[in-house]
């Protein structure tokens, strides 16, 4: 039985491991390279945790009975300025390769949406144009493409938005209800 819960700071190494494996799969020299990437991801997670809170949240999907609750999924959400306004922005949605197509990605998205609603009315994210799996998931969960831009490496990425149930505009005081 998979459980979704808010991450604690002690979870960040296992989140970094999962994100590195999900976005940089592969064996051999790629596995070696992954361990360096993982260190960088963990540092980024710690920076966001300290710098962005209380406007930052990370959720995990865990197997609670496994030793130290094995992490099979994660997602982050923070406030980011989009089109001149601060909006919740979702990033690093990742599901362990052995646990995909079991609805975990959808459950993590749903958890984020419930935590934001009704304080926020819109949720944004970016997805790479080549990432068909993630695009299918987001389309199925009600996200629509609202923009397109280039990545640092010259590829294309889409800006996606989902309207949540809330209808209140952003206000700094509303943020406290998010944590
Ligand atoms: C994208 C990702 C998070 C999906 O997680 P998941 O737990 O497998 O997704 P779910 O099981 O909740 O899938 C829900 C729906 O999304 C769509 N979907 C998910 N993966 C898909 C795939 N590989 N191909 C086509 N559709 C897919 C399907 O419609 C699926 O419903 P179905 O299984 O009933 O057909 C996972 O593949 C992953 O971690 N990928 C690597 C990291 C990544 O790309 N993250 C997104 C960054 S923007």
């Amino acid at each position: 039985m998979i459980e979704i819960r808010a991450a604690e700071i002690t979870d960040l190494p296992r989140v970094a491991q999962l994100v590195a494996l999900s976005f940089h799969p592969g064996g051999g020299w790629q596995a070696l390279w992954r361990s360096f990437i993982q260190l960088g991801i963990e540092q980024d997670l710690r920076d966001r945790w300290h710098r962005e809170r209380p406007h930052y949240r990370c959720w995990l999907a865990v197997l609670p009975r496994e030793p130290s609750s094995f992490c099979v999924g994660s997602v982050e959400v923070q406030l980011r300025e989009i089109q001149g306004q601060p909006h919740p922005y979702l990033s690093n949605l990742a599901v362990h390769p052995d646990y995909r197509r079991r609805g975990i990605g959808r459950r993590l998205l749903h958890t984020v949406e419930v935590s934001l609603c009704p304080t926020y009315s819109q949720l944004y994210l970016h997805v790479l144009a080549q990432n068909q799996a993630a695009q299918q998931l987001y389309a199925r969960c009600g996200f629509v493409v609202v923009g397109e831009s280039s990545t640092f490496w010259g590829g294309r990425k889409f800006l996606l938005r989902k309207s949540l149930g809330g209808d209140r505009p952003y206000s700094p005081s509303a943020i406290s209800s998010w944590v």
Side-chain angles (χ1 to χ4, degrees):
M1 179 68 175
I2 286 161
E3 183 183 292
I4 310 280
R5 66 166 172 83
E8 293 163 16
I9 193 159
T10 50
D11 291 312
L12 298 187
R14 77 186 78 169
V15 175
Q17 187 178 22
L18 173 72
V19 170
L21 179 65
S22 299
F23 286 91
H24 305 278
W29 66 267
Q30 290 183 56
L32 186 66
W33 176 236
R34 186 163 60 241
S35 50
F36 289 107
I37 290 175
Q38 189 178 318
L39 289 175
I41 293 172
E42 186 178 332
Q43 190 55 51
D44 286 347
L45 285 166
R46 286 187 191 283
D47 288 349
R48 279 195 288 281
W49 184 279
H50 292 296
R51 197 184 54 226
E52 308 286 343
R53 279 173 78 89
H55 309 159
Y56 170 85
R57 201 89 191 251
C58 177
W59 298 93
L60 304 183
V62 295
L63 294 173
R65 295 210 184 106
E66 297 286 320
S68 66
S69 53
F70 180 53
C71 180
V72 294
S74 69
V75 64
E76 295 175 77
V77 64
Q78 62 195 293
L79 277 189
R80 188 184 268 202
E81 191 161 309
I82 294 166
Q83 293 156 354
Q85 287 280 322
H87 288 287
Y89 179 84
L90 185 143
S91 61
N92 278 340
L93 175 66
V95 174
H96 190 289
D98 294 345
Y99 290 85
R100 290 182 186 164
R101 302 305 288 267
R102 299 186 193 191
I104 297 172
R106 204 163 15 184
R107 280 183 64 190
L108 284 164
L109 284 177
H110 180 71
T111 302
V112 168
E113 291 166 19
V114 168
S115 78
L116 296 171
C117 196
T119 306
Y120 296 96
S121 54
Q122 288 170 338
L123 173 61
Y124 286 84
L125 60 86
H126 276 108
V127 63
L128 293 178
Q130 77 227 31
N131 192 342
Q132 295 297 326
Q135 284 179 48
Q136 290 276 350
L137 168 65
Y138 297 135
R140 188 139 182 210
C141 291
F143 284 83
V144 292
V145 178
V146 293
E148 184 179 337
S149 55
S150 297
T151 67
F152 180 76
W153 307 105
R156 284 186 312 136
K157 64 181 178 182
F158 301 123
L159 179 66
L160 270 52
R161 180 178 68 206
K162 179 169 181 177
S163 293
L164 307 174
D167 54 9
R168 281 195 275 159
Y170 166 77
S171 82
S173 60
I175 243 4
S176 58
S177 65
W178 188 12
V179 289

